[in-house]
Amino acid sequence: MANKLISEMGLPKSISNIFAARNITTAKDALSLTEFELMELLDVGLSEVRSALAHISEIVCPPYQTALLLMVQRTKDEQLGGHLPTQLKGLDAALCGGIPFGVLTELVGPAGIGKTQFCLKLSLLASLPAHYGGLDGHVIYIDVESKFSSRRMIEIGAKSFPEIFHMKGMAQEMAGRILVLQPTSLSEFTESLQQIKVSLLQNQVRLLVIDSMAALVSGEHEQRALRQHPLGWHISFIKSLAEFSRIPIVVTNQVRSQSRDESCPYSFQAHRRGGTLEDTARHDSHLVAALGIHWAHAVSIRLVLEAKSGQRFMKVAKSPISPPLAFPFTINSSGISLLTDDGTELVGPEINAIYCQGHNDIINFDGER
Amino acid sequence: MEVSRLPISASQRGKLISAGYTSLSSLSSVSPSDLARDLKISEREAVEILKVASKGNRVGGSDGSQSIINGAQNAWDMLHEEEMLTRITTSCADLDNILGGGINCKEVTEIGGVPGIGKTQLGIQLAVNVQIPVEFGGLGGKAIYIDTEGSFMVERALQIAEACIEDMMEYTGFLKNDLQRNLQACQVKMQPKDILENILYFRVCSYTEQIALINYLDKFISEHKDVKIVVVDSITFHFRQDFDDLALRTRVLSGIALKLMNLAKKFSLAVVLLNQVTTKYTEGSYQLSLALGDSWSHSCTNRLILYWNGNERYAYIDKSPSLRSASAPYSVTSRGIRNSTSNCKRIKMM
């Protein structure tokens, strides 16, 4: 609506002609200027500018809904109440049914912890027929790191849903619903995102996976304090994509090491803390999620995958509906499974810390392969 | 006062000045037809200019009888008005304490913090709490929730609304019988879905829409008079990524802040702006600070920062004309924002 033409808004001819003459054609052009700048530019009085702006604003401004209507609509229109079940009972319970539609869900963790495994499983789930608890739709999988393995995906499918995958032709059909894109550069990624926008609605796409977001930005960007985030445009684009097609979007993110002087408190905290607390709290966690704080604001749900003293954990680190919980999990031939469905509640710095201690020595494929 | 400060168009101003009308007093005795002839403009325009000029004159001059300056109010009256001010509870007693009873109506309050600290939670909580009926010490108003990020969760609003009604039930249990009957009468009416019904939700998808909406709010609220809080979650999002000209961004933002402040005063409602944080490099180290820059930080009346202190969530009053800077712990529970559970010292004055 921001690009609506001023000439089509039914303003009095005299004033809309002035707008046109000064090359202010869209609502965006007009509203990005202050009243006084417009007065200068259009050479009209304050009251005219005010009334014109009020008129334009009223037309451009989005309609409102009551929260009740929003809820009724969502439960009516959407499969499974607007959530993609992960079939990990504890996690589904914490997230009110699974990965929610319409927002970004982030998976962050060190290399090899199981992010891609989780993505593969989710892709399968979204493509499964509805009576098996799936969304019965297509999946677009943007594989930036070239890690997608269809063999592994079929294996996960065959182990977790043997009744489907042993039916003749089903494996082919399920795998056929998952479309993999492998962009090699940021510009290619940008291009495919724009294409996706069109095809999302036409093709019954029920899930978008981006594995991973961080790989697109080379490390050097983060060190420099940029005014604008290198992925700024992508972040808002992906968010609006999720919102308007009402599908879940799952994005993975890498970790990077944190240099000590970066652990920053607010200015009013600095003099009180004096460094004692920080040293103990931050000492053993040198990993933080990549892409910075701006990105962290943009995701609605952050799931941290980590390894602590030989055990893998999945943590709900940010969620509007769930308290911070941690679930121990393992990876076996059928993908990720939780060891217990009762999560332990976390407090304080524990929530956002990412540990990476010796998950490499535990191999859980114990002889099944 | 000079002609150059009149809110008229640039060409009219230019004509006035070149015709020798530089001060307002020179305009005071001119007739519209003379002015039209001198400036070579139509008589109607001339009348308009004189109307604007006489208005400008009055603000500057004395008006005699009631007050010395038009539109001013003396401090005693203001004190009286401040005492009548209503506040919206945050559902966390410690936080209410340092805020002097809750979020002030007639003021703009900015709340910022790191991702996951509970900004949206507090926003939803306030949108629910504003509806607590007057009998229970609330405002019984409606809420406008402006969502720029898509982070509003209806399921969560429902949880908080249910808990809020439960709390009110519990509260009636403590009261004497006659009062209780009264309260129960109004309680039967309150249902979680009524609370959701009274949250008016706007989803804003670009900064243009955000500006448009804030321009339009004035009209919207005069049609929906019982709105008592406007929550913007968050003020930052679109301005942070889509704006290239930072000087222009600052000007547009301060325009928005002014409009919101006027709204707050005019309809005596609370405006709550949620803001994100950013890292800033000062004095040789990185520090967290709220986004949108230094000039933005002047535009809100109150500023509340949410942060982690060890294992607890704390709120800190960073800026306020009337409150001491203090911090208080709070917690986010399944029922919403509540007191922190730990028994250590609650409020720390600084």
Side-chain angles (χ1 to χ4, degrees):
Chain A
M1 275 197 272
N3 293 320
K4 220 167 185 176
L5 295 175
I6 289 180
S7 54
E8 289 166 11
M9 286 184 183
L11 278 171
K13 255 284 161 281
S14 56
I15 192 108
S16 77
N17 284 342
I18 298 178
F19 274 104
R22 295 292 179 276
N23 208 15
I24 298 181
T25 49
T26 63
K28 187 176 178 179
D29 297 336
L31 291 172
S32 337
L33 295 169
T34 60
E35 285 170 2
F36 291 97
E37 281 166 323
L38 273 178
M39 276 172 61
E40 286 291 324
L41 203 62
L42 302 178
D43 194 13
V44 291
L46 182 62
S47 57
E48 281 100 328
V49 167
R50 282 223 170 119
S51 70
L53 279 183
H55 187 83
I56 295 173
S57 299
E58 190 171 344
I59 289 177
V60 173
C61 152
Y64 81 90
Q65 278 179 306
T66 66
L68 181 67
L69 200 69
L70 209 64
M71 190 172 71
V72 172
Q73 257 176 15
R74 290 205 178 150
T75 43
K76 198 181 68 187
D77 294 352
E78 281 168 3
Q79 301 157 289
L80 304 163
H83 293 274
L84 164 62
T86 62
Q87 304 212 339
L88 304 173
K89 279 203 192 81
L91 188 65
D92 283 346
L95 296 178
C96 274
I99 310 282
F101 292 6
V103 295
L104 299 192
T105 301
E106 182 194 21
L107 299 174
V108 58
I113 191 76
K115 301 187 292 291
T116 303
Q117 302 291 319
F118 198 29
C119 288
L120 292 176
K121 180 85 175 265
L122 288 174
S123 307
L124 276 173
L125 284 168
S127 64
L128 280 189
H131 55 275
Y132 289 104
L135 299 178
D136 201 9
H138 284 94
V139 175
I140 295 182
Y141 196 109
I142 303 184
D143 179 28
V144 182
E145 296 178 334
S146 298
K147 278 188 189 155
F148 184 86
S149 150
S150 40
R151 182 189 297 267
R152 173 68 180 136
M153 196 182 68
I154 302 284
E155 185 192 21
I156 294 177
K159 291 280 179 189
S160 358
F161 315 103
E163 65 281 14
I164 304 174
F165 275 75
H166 290 158
M167 255 191 271
K168 201 172 174 332
M170 272 313 254
Q172 192 189 348
E173 189 180 341
M174 290 298 107
R177 288 179 174 183
I178 298 169
L179 316 167
V180 184
L181 283 169
Q182 297 189 316
T184 49
S185 68
L186 192 58
S187 57
E188 237 177 87
F189 175 65
T190 312
E191 214 170 285
S192 42
L193 272 184
Q194 271 157 342
Q195 286 170 3
I196 286 170
K197 190 184 183 180
V198 186
S199 67
L200 271 186
L201 291 168
Q202 294 166 353
N203 294 326
Q204 280 248 318
V205 174
R206 289 281 176 256
L207 174 71
L208 173 64
V209 178
I210 301 172
D211 183 21
S212 73
M213 198 77 177
L216 288 161
V217 202
S218 48
E220 63 193 293
H221 276 298
E222 287 184 50
Q223 304 303 322
R224 272 187 283 141
L226 279 181
R227 261 229 110 103
Q228 300 252 302
H229 198 278
L231 289 173
W233 177 85
H234 302 83
I235 292 173
S236 49
F237 189 81
I238 296 171
K239 272 186 85 107
S240 67
L241 215 57
E243 180 88 17
F244 290 104
S245 46
R246 295 294 308 163
I247 56 165
I249 293 191
V250 176
V251 181
T252 65
N253 189 6
Q254 303 170 340
V255 293
R256 64 182 178 87
S257 53
Q258 181 186 42
S259 47
R260 183 65 63 81
D261 58 322
E262 259 182 272
S263 54
C264 32
Y266 292 102
S267 49
F268 64 84
Q269 277 177 292
H271 59 100
R272 288 190 296 135
R273 280 192 162 187
T276 48
L277 228 167
E278 257 152 85
D279 281 339
T280 51
R282 307 266 178 176
H283 197 70
D284 47 3
S285 104
H286 291 294
L287 293 176
V288 290
L291 296 177
I293 207 159
H294 178 42
W295 164 256
H297 276 297
V299 297
S300 295
I301 293 182
R302 168 172 272 185
L303 298 176
V304 172
L305 307 184
E306 61 166 16
K308 208 154 94 182
S309 39
Q311 177 60 58
R312 293 175 204 238
F313 286 95
M314 180 185 296
K315 296 194 296 196
V316 185
K318 179 188 177 189
S319 156
I321 26 191
S322 162
L325 293 173
F327 302 95
F329 74 94
T330 59
I331 296 179
N332 50 35
S333 55
S334 64
I336 283 185
S337 55
L338 297 186
L339 292 176
T340 159
D341 288 323
D342 306 314
T344 14
E345 194 154 344
L346 302 165
V347 282
E350 275 287 290
I351 296 172
N352 281 304
I354 303 172
Y355 294 95
C356 178
Q357 297 165 346
H359 65 278
N360 288 327
D361 12 292
I362 29 166
I363 297 159
N364 291 301
F365 292 98
D366 34 24
E368 284 182 78
R369 263 189 153 175
Chain B
M1 196 166 150
E2 283 172 35
V3 164
S4 54
R5 288 174 58 191
L6 284 181
I8 53 177
S9 72
S11 69
Q12 287 177 341
R13 195 185 307 142
K15 283 176 187 165
L16 274 176
I17 292 170
S18 59
Y21 295 101
T22 47
S23 69
L24 282 186
S25 50
S26 65
L27 279 174
S28 61
S29 55
V30 160
S31 76
S33 54
D34 286 344
L35 190 67
R37 205 182 49 235
D38 285 355
L39 268 58
K40 298 192 184 68
I41 55 176
S42 75
E43 210 156 301
R44 234 190 57 229
E45 270 183 85
V47 172
E48 284 300 312
I49 293 179
L50 288 179
K51 217 189 275 173
V52 174
S54 66
K55 218 183 282 168
N57 221 1
R58 224 179 301 131
V59 175
S62 66
D63 206 13
S65 56
Q66 317 113 323
S67 63
I68 303 170
I69 300 170
N70 242 0
Q73 195 184 12
N74 69 36
W76 181 256
D77 290 345
M78 283 173 79
L79 177 70
H80 205 70
E81 210 165 87
E82 265 168 42
E83 278 164 0
M84 306 274 290
L85 258 185
T86 40
R87 295 188 172 80
I88 303 164
T89 169
T90 60
S91 285
C92 165
D94 293 336
L95 192 50
D96 281 352
N97 245 342
I98 61 166
L99 286 170
I103 301 288
N104 262 335
C105 286
K106 286 199 173 183
E107 282 180 9
V108 178
T109 306
E110 182 185 17
I111 300 173
V114 295
I117 189 78
K119 298 185 294 295
T120 301
Q121 303 289 325
L122 190 51
I124 297 176
Q125 181 79 57
L126 288 169
V128 169
N129 285 357
V130 74
Q131 303 179 38
I132 297 175
V134 182
E135 295 85 346
F136 290 89
L139 270 74
K142 290 186 180 178
I144 290 182
Y145 200 99
I146 302 175
D147 188 4
T148 67
E149 301 190 17
S151 50
F152 181 80
M153 287 266 175
V154 200
E155 295 100 326
R156 183 65 179 143
L158 183 66
Q159 281 179 356
I160 292 178
E162 280 165 353
C164 178
I165 287 179
E166 270 171 37
D167 283 0
M168 284 195 283
M169 300 266 219
E170 210 169 289
Y171 177 70
T172 33
F174 295 128
L175 290 172
K176 297 260 163 58
N177 282 338
D178 47 335
L179 245 176
Q180 203 171 339
R181 218 169 303 125
N182 250 344
L183 287 177
Q184 266 163 354
C186 74
Q187 200 160 69
V188 180
K189 282 182 275 165
M190 277 289 255
Q191 292 288 325
K193 70 174 205 294
D194 296 329
I195 292 191
L196 292 189
E197 178 92 56
N198 284 333
I199 299 178
L200 312 178
Y201 173 85
F202 286 92
R203 176 74 175 96
V204 167
C205 307
S206 68
Y207 71 83
T208 316
E209 284 185 23
Q210 191 172 335
I211 298 168
L213 176 55
I214 285 166
N215 285 340
Y216 172 63
L217 272 185
D218 191 77
K219 189 172 173 203
F220 184 82
I221 295 175
S222 36
E223 287 160 10
H224 297 76
K225 275 262 163 33
D226 37 4
V227 168
K228 282 293 163 224
I229 190 169
V230 176
V231 181
V232 186
D233 178 13
S234 66
I235 193 85
T236 338
F237 185 68
H238 296 300
F239 284 96
R240 207 162 169 184
Q241 26 221 9
D242 309 329
F243 241 98
D244 300 321
D245 183 347
L246 287 173
L248 180 62
R249 183 179 89 169
T250 308
R251 289 201 295 279
V252 170
L253 275 171
S254 60
I256 287 184
L258 263 179
K259 278 176 195 138
L260 289 171
M261 227 171 261
N262 281 337
L263 275 183
K265 288 255 151 53
K266 187 169 165 192
F267 299 101
S268 65
L269 48 81
V271 175
V272 173
L273 309 177
L274 305 184
N275 194 357
Q276 305 180 338
V277 295
T278 186
T279 47
K280 200 168 108 183
Y281 192 77
T282 39
E283 291 159 26
S285 66
Y286 284 97
Q287 275 185 342
L288 285 176
S289 68
L290 299 198
L292 296 182
D294 290 326
S295 42
W296 168 256
S297 61
H298 294 286
S299 25
C300 294
T301 320
N302 304 302
R303 180 174 247 194
L304 197 63
I305 294 181
L306 309 180
Y307 65 102
W308 285 108
N309 187 4
N311 288 340
E312 274 187 293
R313 296 168 204 258
Y314 269 72
Y316 170 76
I317 299 179
D318 188 44
K319 174 189 161 184
S320 162
S322 55
L323 303 168
R324 322 175 45 165
S325 79
S327 61
Y330 69 97
S331 64
V332 180
T333 68
S334 59
R335 299 163 60 83
I337 305 280
R338 290 292 183 268
N339 259 347
S340 174
T341 41
S342 75
N343 293 321
C344 61
K345 198 179 160 205
R346 280 286 161 76
I347 300 180
K348 191 174 172 191
M349 290 292 177
M350 285 187 284

